[in-house]
């Protein structure tokens, strides 16, 4: 799955970045996923949105904008970032935990909003009485991979709880609002039966609001980072959704447009973190052998946070040979025992050595599946390490710097020295 770059190509990438670590995004893989998303079956029209929090770098946003995607934004800052990257506000949908103070200004410029709580709905209605709005519901079930990625059900604060339709109606009446869109995002994974259930729960909500013309099912389409994981087949999970939409149209005469908002599915496997092995230490005969990188939680937090499993490939420098296979624990460069890149799959604190060819210090270490929630969701500047550079490996097999490495001056620029 990871691109098979040669030691020379890696050398070239690191030279362009100035130094390791850096992120490498494979444009061809990204475009392949774009094509798959466009194939999602939708009998009455599909509007794909990119959940930009997965990887909001401008060059990535540009590729998705050209491919006809809109944006799912999670904050007012993301809205502004997408606009600066060339998206018109009308192509952006905001579903946020923290309603931006200036939301009304953006709505006047075309932003679409999903009210994600009763209070958000009230504020929207006060600002725009007599208009229409989207609603994000928590349909009462979720299916994220871990408690931290589960975004539906009673232990999730996202969206309006599905039993609160009467309270919603009261607010709609108070502000003369109509509902144009129903949105849920529960991290539904790769099982078509779960998607069928999600579609039915959503259509139940749509039935309660006669003006709704768009159903938004959010994101959460899983990818396979390692051989043990199952990737989502969008055609397979889309089928029961499309069937439910057709049935709804037959029964009610309402032909709903479908929106989906993938993040991980688009960029997850397109990104690789390139690091160098800095040191190798061990803790004796009954201990472990540790491989220390020049990267870690400052670039990728997912292993420490979710016990996420990322493929690791060690590549000797040009002219070097791969070493003997040994169980190795891979750790990051932060002074923090949680900075662990090979946790056990069910416990972010447990060390799970991997059988890897023992490298020499200076060899390359590639961490795959690092395109989504990696550069965008790291322990930035911890231990005062600067943010890593990002490179695009273009479809004509060239490296392009799309974000240069942060400097120490930039890190300190906001400090007030009196
Ligand atoms: C994060 C998010 C997504 C994307 O989730 P993925 O798991 O990356 O596909 C889509 N919609 C909303 C509302 C989100 O918050």
């Amino acid at each position: 799955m990871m691109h098979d770059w040669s030691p020379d190509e890696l050398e070239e990438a690191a030279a362009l970045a100035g130094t390791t670590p850096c992120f490498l995004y494979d444009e061809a893989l990204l475009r392949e996923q774009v094509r798959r998303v466009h194939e999602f079956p939708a009998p009455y029209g599909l509007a794909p949105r990119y959940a930009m929090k997965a990887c909001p770098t401008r060059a990535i946003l540009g590729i998705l904008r050209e491919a006809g995607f809109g944006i799912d934004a999670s904050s007012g800052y993301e809205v502004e970032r997408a606009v600066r990257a060339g998206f018109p506000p009308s192509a952006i949908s905001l579903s946020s935990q923290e309603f931006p103070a200036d939301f009304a200004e953006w709505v006047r410029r075309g932003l679409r909003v999903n009210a994600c709580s009763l209070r958000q709905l009230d504020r929207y209605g006060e600002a725009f009485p007599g208009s229409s709005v989207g609603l994000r519901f928590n349909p009462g079930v979720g299916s994220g991979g871990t408690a931290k990625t589960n975004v539906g059900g009673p232990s999730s604060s996202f969206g309006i709880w599905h039993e609160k339709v009467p309270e919603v109606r009261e607010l709609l009446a108070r502000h003369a609002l109509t509902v144009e869109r129903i949105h849920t995002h529960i991290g539904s994974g790769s099982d078509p039966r779960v998607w069928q259930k999600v579609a039915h729960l959503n259509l139940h909500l749509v039935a309660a609001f006669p003006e709704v013309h768009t159903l938004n099912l959010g994101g959460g389409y899983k990818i396979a980072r390692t051989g043990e994981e199952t990737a989502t087949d969008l055609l397979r999970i889309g089928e029961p959704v499309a069937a439910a939409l057709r049935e709804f149209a037959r029964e009610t005469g309402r032909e709903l447009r479908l929106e989906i908002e993938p993040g991980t599915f688009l960029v997850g496997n397109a990104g690789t973190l390139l690091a160098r092995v800095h040191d190798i230490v061990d803790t004796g005969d009954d201990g472990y052998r540790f491989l220390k990188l020049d990267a870690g939680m400052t670039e990728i937090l997912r292993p420490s946070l979710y016990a996420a499993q990322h493929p690791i490939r060690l590549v000797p420098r040009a002219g070097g040979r791969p070493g003997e296979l040994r169980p190795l624990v891979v750790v990051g460069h932060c002074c923090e025992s949680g900075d662990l890149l090979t946790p056990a799959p069910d416990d972010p604190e447990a060390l799970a050595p991997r059988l890897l060819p023992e490298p020499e210090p200076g060899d390359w270490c590639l961490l795959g599946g690092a395109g989504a929630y990696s550069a965008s969701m790291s322990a930035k500047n911890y231990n005062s390490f600067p943010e890593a550079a990002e490179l695009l490996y273009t479809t004509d097999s060239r490296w392009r710097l799309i974000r240069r490495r942060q400097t120490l001056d930039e890190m300190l620029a906001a400090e007030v020295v009196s």
Side-chain angles (χ1 to χ4, degrees):
M1 208 147 345
M2 233 185 288
H3 199 287
D4 202 10
W5 290 298
S6 69
D8 285 341
E9 281 178 302
L10 296 177
E11 199 71 61
E12 221 180 284
L16 188 56
T19 175
T20 50
C22 57
F23 287 93
L24 314 177
Y25 301 109
D26 185 341
E27 184 179 0
L29 259 178
L30 173 58
R31 291 193 184 277
E32 175 68 19
Q33 294 300 87
V34 161
R35 190 186 58 70
R36 292 204 166 108
V37 169
H38 278 307
E39 282 176 3
F40 196 100
Y44 312 113
L46 178 74
R49 298 184 178 280
Y50 171 48
M52 67 181 280
K53 70 179 185 294
C55 182
T57 312
R58 188 180 176 127
I60 304 293
L61 294 178
I63 290 172
L64 289 152
R65 181 169 48 77
E66 281 165 21
F69 278 61
I71 286 289
D72 161 55
S74 298
S75 74
Y77 294 99
E78 279 195 350
V79 170
E80 181 152 1
R81 197 165 177 179
V83 168
R84 290 194 195 188
F87 286 90
S90 59
I92 305 170
S93 161
L94 175 71
S95 303
S96 64
Q97 288 284 79
E98 179 185 324
F99 217 36
D102 58 352
F103 78 92
E105 176 57 31
W106 285 114
V107 171
R108 269 179 226 113
R109 290 174 63 182
L111 175 71
R112 323 298 308 174
V113 167
N114 289 318
C116 297
S117 71
L118 294 173
R119 190 160 283 112
Q120 286 189 7
L121 180 58
D122 195 27
R123 283 177 65 192
Y124 192 94
E126 269 172 13
F128 300 102
S131 68
S132 62
V133 67
L135 296 178
R136 175 170 179 175
F137 276 103
N138 177 339
V141 295
S143 79
T146 71
K148 284 174 187 147
T149 55
N150 200 342
V151 283
S155 51
S156 161
S157 71
F158 299 98
I160 301 167
W161 184 244
H162 62 108
E163 291 167 331
K164 298 204 184 281
V165 170
E167 288 91 329
V168 167
R169 286 197 193 290
E170 210 179 291
L171 285 169
L172 295 175
R174 186 183 310 161
H175 301 298
L177 292 171
T178 52
V179 184
E180 59 179 11
R181 183 164 58 145
I182 295 289
H183 174 276
T184 58
H185 165 69
I186 64 164
S188 303
S190 53
D191 183 346
R193 284 165 306 182
V194 174
W195 281 96
Q196 183 164 29
K197 187 169 165 196
V198 169
H200 281 113
L201 285 169
N202 277 292
L203 289 171
H204 195 70
L205 289 165
V206 172
F209 301 101
E211 282 91 6
V212 170
H213 53 66
T214 301
L215 175 63
N216 184 321
L217 292 181
Y221 312 90
K222 286 199 180 61
I223 56 168
R225 287 189 174 81
T226 64
E228 280 100 71
E229 297 172 336
T230 319
T232 309
D233 179 341
L234 291 190
L235 291 176
R236 257 191 89 215
I237 63 149
E239 243 167 59
V241 174
L245 287 177
R246 280 198 203 91
E247 190 188 314
F248 188 79
R250 265 199 308 276
E251 284 169 6
T252 65
R254 296 167 64 188
E255 300 188 340
L256 300 173
R257 189 174 151 85
L258 184 66
E259 290 184 357
I260 55 172
E261 299 171 337
T264 303
F265 186 84
L266 287 162
V267 292
N269 274 332
T272 300
L273 176 62
L274 175 64
R276 266 189 206 273
V277 177
H278 250 229
D279 207 348
I280 300 160
V281 301
D282 71 78
T283 47
D285 290 346
D286 299 325
Y288 296 94
R289 203 161 171 79
F290 293 92
L291 207 160
K292 297 187 183 179
L293 305 183
D294 62 359
M297 63 200 288
T298 44
E299 285 70 38
I300 183 163
L301 205 48
R302 299 185 75 260
S304 313
L305 201 57
Y306 313 133
Q309 301 296 303
H310 288 262
I312 292 175
R313 203 167 82 219
L314 291 161
V315 178
R317 278 163 305 176
R321 288 167 175 279
E324 210 181 304
L325 281 181
R326 296 184 83 154
L328 298 170
V329 174
V330 183
V331 297
H333 55 178
C334 291
C335 294
E336 157 80 38
S337 53
D339 194 4
L340 171 66
L341 295 162
T342 52
D346 45 4
D347 180 0
E349 289 179 15
L351 310 185
R354 290 224 199 145
L355 210 53
L356 294 165
E358 168 130 353
E360 299 274 342
D363 284 355
W364 306 106
C365 179
L366 290 94
L367 229 92
Y373 308 104
S374 299
S376 69
M377 195 188 76
S378 60
K380 273 182 186 148
N381 295 159
Y382 184 47
N383 287 194
S384 297
F385 285 113
E387 284 173 59
E390 295 173 48
L391 274 65
L392 188 70
Y393 187 70
T394 60
T395 43
D396 57 357
S397 310
R398 284 169 214 268
W399 295 112
R400 181 154 81 83
L401 185 67
I402 58 172
R403 182 190 175 97
R404 63 166 175 74
R405 185 173 170 85
Q406 186 187 34
T407 64
L408 188 64
D409 284 338
E410 285 166 336
M411 201 191 302
L412 305 183
E415 287 183 5
V416 178
V417 185
S418 56

